[in-house]
Amino acid sequence: MESIARISSLLENARELTLDAASAARSSRSSSKPLDRTQVKKLLDSRNEREVLDGLRRVISMMYRSQKTLPLFSSVVKNVASPNLEIKKLVYIYLIHHAEQEPDLALLSINTIQKSLSDTSPQVRALALRTMSGIRVPVISQIVSLAIRKGAGDMSAYVRRAAALAIPKCYRLDPSQLPQLMEYLTTLLGDKQYYVAGAAVTAFLEVCPERIDLIHKNYRNLVKMIVDMDEWSQLSTLRLMTVYARKCFPRRTKLSKTGKETSPDIQEFYGEGVDASSEGQEVVYLDPDLELLLTAIKPLLQSRNSGVVMAVARCYSAIGTPTYVQAAVGPLVALLRGGQDIQQVALFNIVSICLNHPASFVKYATHFLVRATDTQQVWELKLELLTLIFPHAPPHIKSLILNELEHFSRGSDKGLIREAVRAIGRCAQTDTATAPRCFRLLLDQITSLDGTLAAESLTVIRHLIQQDPTAHVATVVRLAKNLDSATDPQARATIVWLVGEFSGLNGEDNIAADVLRILLKDFPSESEVAKRQIVLLGAKVYLHHLNRQIEEASSQDPPSEGSGPKLLEEDDHPIAKLWTYTMLLARYDTSYDLRDRARLYKSLLSVPQLATLMLLAPKPAPQAPSPSETRKGYTLGSATLVLAGGGGVHGLRGYEDLPDWVEKGQEPDPKLRDREGIDDKGGYAARGKGLPIPAAERITSAGSSSTRNSSFSGSRSPVKGSFGSPANGVGAKTLDDWLAEEEEEEERQKQRAAVKVQVEESSEEEESEEEDDDEEEGEDDEEEEDESGEEEESSEEEEEESDEDARLVRPR
């Protein structure tokens, strides 16, 4: 009969599989026709689970296509009590989506969902808890809180994790539940399963991130479990630990002869510590708990998740030392192998680190070379990285970088040309040894037919010349000779401005007056930008002429009559005539701005001393900072770092900078990070009243109490591996110990049953032998039987004392 039932069950399973395969094949060959609402309702009201499942799938499909499915609410929700897990899942999805629109009908299913919290399957319990917390109806906030309390003490880690993730949902539903939720969160943060602790950290950051005191006793456990957590939990834990380290570990420094970052105890042991009066390098030494964190997260640099690698780099940059930051450089550069979106975000963060530690990226210079497939944002950041590492690179790397920049400066992309030329200028500013080569590269570009390239090259040349004007007189002369070939308006304006800046050198032998004469010949055809600089050049040349006349008059002793500066109308000097001609050209120009400038300069030159202060004042050398200097200071991995504007420019909100380091003497006591609530015997002390106790702790406490009761009973000695003393002899008992004890108990029961059977067989044999004996020996046999019976009764008493569960009784 048993074989027939087994065969029938196999045939039924085969039939189910055949029907499923046929349904899947039919749906793949031809798209199922959409059914009307009446047909779907008929499927939902069917007693066949297959039809109900088909109807629910159609409803969910309609729901995500934005079709009206609310009229089917009652037909869908009544299937919430179905034992089929697939049907439960689809009903829960529908219920979460429409609960806010039909809160009264949704409340009718709460009792059924509550019953699922006591189901034998952990998956069903977790699904019910997740659904109950997802129903956004404020009336059930108390019920959700009780469900979370029950889930926080569940045996299954899967259910406890669902309880941790439900805490933020309950808090958003009813913020007044915060005190109870914090109690549950305190329990879940101390969970021994990394699967649960990671979810608890995520909930903590959303519900009460300012309650750092809840983390103290769980700090070391969380640090040890972070490597085993999932990626989302690792991101949350790394963010929490970064803030925690800033608030709980002060930044300490100490003088060291070696300059290496070591703990103060090691420095004192090896005699590396030095007095403040002696010479030594000031280094940062780390708190042992902080060093535990930085060491524990180092394996995460090999994570396949780019966000985790970025979070570790942020942690090292914010709370670590340069040694740890250098360890994160290689994994960050490895992110450039990903997609273009990952490359761009990674480059923003790499540039932010490179601004402070450029030497660490020198050996990865070849990874920053521009490729043909790079987008504009990517190659802009790569060029910036090349210029940042340029002064720290060896000669062959510098030559490689300059060759790359020269190549791109002669390309066809105007944006790339502009950035390449600017990069050459930044290289020349940061490294004076390569400045002559950079000058040669830039001077070769000013005669280019590409106006953009010429203008950018001249702008960079002007910045370099202003840094050391006396050393570049010949360069200005060469630029002036190329005025005829320079066609770009901005390039011509830059050259004219440079000539005007050097118009005071060599007195009357300066080329500025002759350049002005040549430019005035074709003044009407010049661009407005160039005209402004030509008028300014004329004002400077004439001002230098006036200053020379004043110096000559002051040098005469006594000064002769009429030896001062002459009026413009009376001066017959060629420079005065050039200035008069310049004023006439500007007076009749079509530009209002140019005419106003000419009148301003004419009035200003009537007072040479004031004009000298205004026009000939020394100009500070312009600096060309790295474009990412504006992003400096933003937290690594944040969206604000990528958009580089904060709330003021791009309208971003929610950015919070990392807290400042806690001052020395105000940090919390390190003893708070010792595990609290553990007694000497390894068992957990009693928690506060009303707090849920995890199942593992309940088992441990129950085992210890049973051992104490058995030890006081006096009936027998405790068995090795009992509740009070774990089988392994170390710490509290685990689930494996309990399973092993159950197996041992089953073996003992089998042995007792076998002994009982043997005793019964032996007694039957004795009875058969007694029947064959003579009547004369009957009395003796009865006496022997009595004696043997007494012996067996005494053995039974001993067996009862050693084992109360199995009692052997002699058959009669």
Side-chain angles (χ1 to χ4, degrees), residues 77-89:
V77 173
K78 72 179 183 180
N79 294 303
V80 71
S82 174
N84 192 320
L85 183 59
E86 296 296 327
I87 293 178
K88 275 183 177 295
K89 289 180 180 179

Side-chain angles (χ1 to χ4, degrees), residues 514-529:
D514 197 34
V515 171
L516 177 63
R517 179 184 60 82
I518 297 172
L519 291 172
L520 290 177
K521 290 180 180 180
D522 201 17
F523 183 83
S525 61
E526 295 282 352
S527 64
E528 185 175 353
V529 178

Side-chain angles (χ1 to χ4, degrees), residues 483-721:
L483 267 174
D484 295 336
S485 59
T487 57
D488 185 74
Q490 192 65 40
R492 293 179 65 84
T494 301
I495 295 175
V496 173
W497 186 88
L498 283 172
V499 172
E501 284 296 304
F502 287 84
S503 60
L505 298 178
N506 300 330
E508 294 184 356
D509 295 335
N510 195 279
I511 64 171
D514 197 34
V515 171
L516 177 63
R517 179 184 60 82
I518 297 172
L519 291 172
L520 290 177
K521 290 180 180 180
D522 201 17
F523 183 83
S525 61
E526 295 282 352
S527 64
E528 185 175 353
V529 178
K531 287 179 181 179
R532 294 173 187 171
Q533 298 301 327
I534 292 172
V535 173
L536 179 60
L537 174 61
K540 290 180 179 179
V541 170
Y542 182 63
L543 179 58
H544 285 299
H545 170 66
L546 294 178
N547 289 336
R548 284 194 294 270
Q549 286 183 350
I550 294 174
E551 290 177 0
E552 291 176 359
S554 61
S555 63
Q556 294 179 4
D557 190 23
S560 59
E561 184 178 353
S563 59
K566 298 180 181 180
L567 297 176
L568 183 61
E569 294 78 4
E570 300 176 354
D571 196 350
D572 295 334
H573 197 276
I575 294 179
K577 293 181 179 180
L578 283 174
W579 173 243
T580 303
Y581 184 56
T582 304
M583 289 294 100
L584 288 174
L585 292 173
R587 180 179 180 181
Y588 296 101
D589 194 85
T590 57
S591 173
Y592 291 98
D593 180 62
L594 185 62
R595 295 201 298 267
D596 292 341
R597 285 173 182 264
R599 285 194 292 269
L600 173 64
Y601 294 149
K602 184 177 181 179
S603 301
L604 193 60
L605 289 172
S606 61
V607 185
Q609 294 80 4
L610 181 60
T612 301
L613 294 174
M614 296 293 294
L615 300 179
L616 302 181
K619 279 94 176 163
Q623 299 294 328
S626 183
S628 294
E629 287 288 343
T630 56
R631 299 185 178 92
K632 198 171 184 179
Y634 289 116
T635 305
L636 290 179
S638 61
T640 309
L641 175 65
V642 176
L643 299 177
V649 178
H650 296 282
L652 294 179
R653 294 181 180 178
Y655 173 76
E656 294 182 2
D657 201 0
L658 292 175
D660 296 331
W661 289 95
V662 64
E663 296 183 3
K664 189 176 181 180
Q666 297 183 0
E667 71 274 11
D669 190 358
K671 294 181 180 179
L672 294 174
R673 287 186 286 274
D674 295 336
R675 186 71 175 175
E676 294 181 356
I678 302 180
D679 55 16
D680 298 335
K681 298 181 180 179
Y684 284 81
R687 294 176 181 264
K689 187 176 181 181
L691 287 176
I693 302 176
E697 298 182 18
R698 293 203 304 268
I699 293 174
T700 305
S701 60
S704 60
S705 62
S706 63
T707 304
R708 289 192 295 269
N709 294 335
S710 63
S711 62
F712 285 111
S713 62
S715 60
R716 59 185 176 90
S717 61
V719 183
K720 183 179 181 181

Side-chain angles (χ1 to χ4, degrees), residues 298-303 305-306 309-310 312-313 316 322-338 342 346-347 349-350 353-354 357-365 367-368:
K298 197 169 185 178
L300 297 181
L301 291 173
Q302 310 302 323
S303 175
N305 190 303
S306 58
V309 177
M310 198 72 66
V312 176
Y316 280 167
T323 303
Y324 287 101
V325 176
Q326 190 173 3
V329 170
L332 279 177
V333 175
L335 297 180
L336 300 181
R337 301 172 185 170
I342 296 178
L347 282 171
N349 292 271
I350 290 173
I353 297 178
C354 191
H357 308 279
S360 301
F361 292 88
V362 172
K363 60 181 179 181
Y364 303 103
H367 293 78
F368 307 139

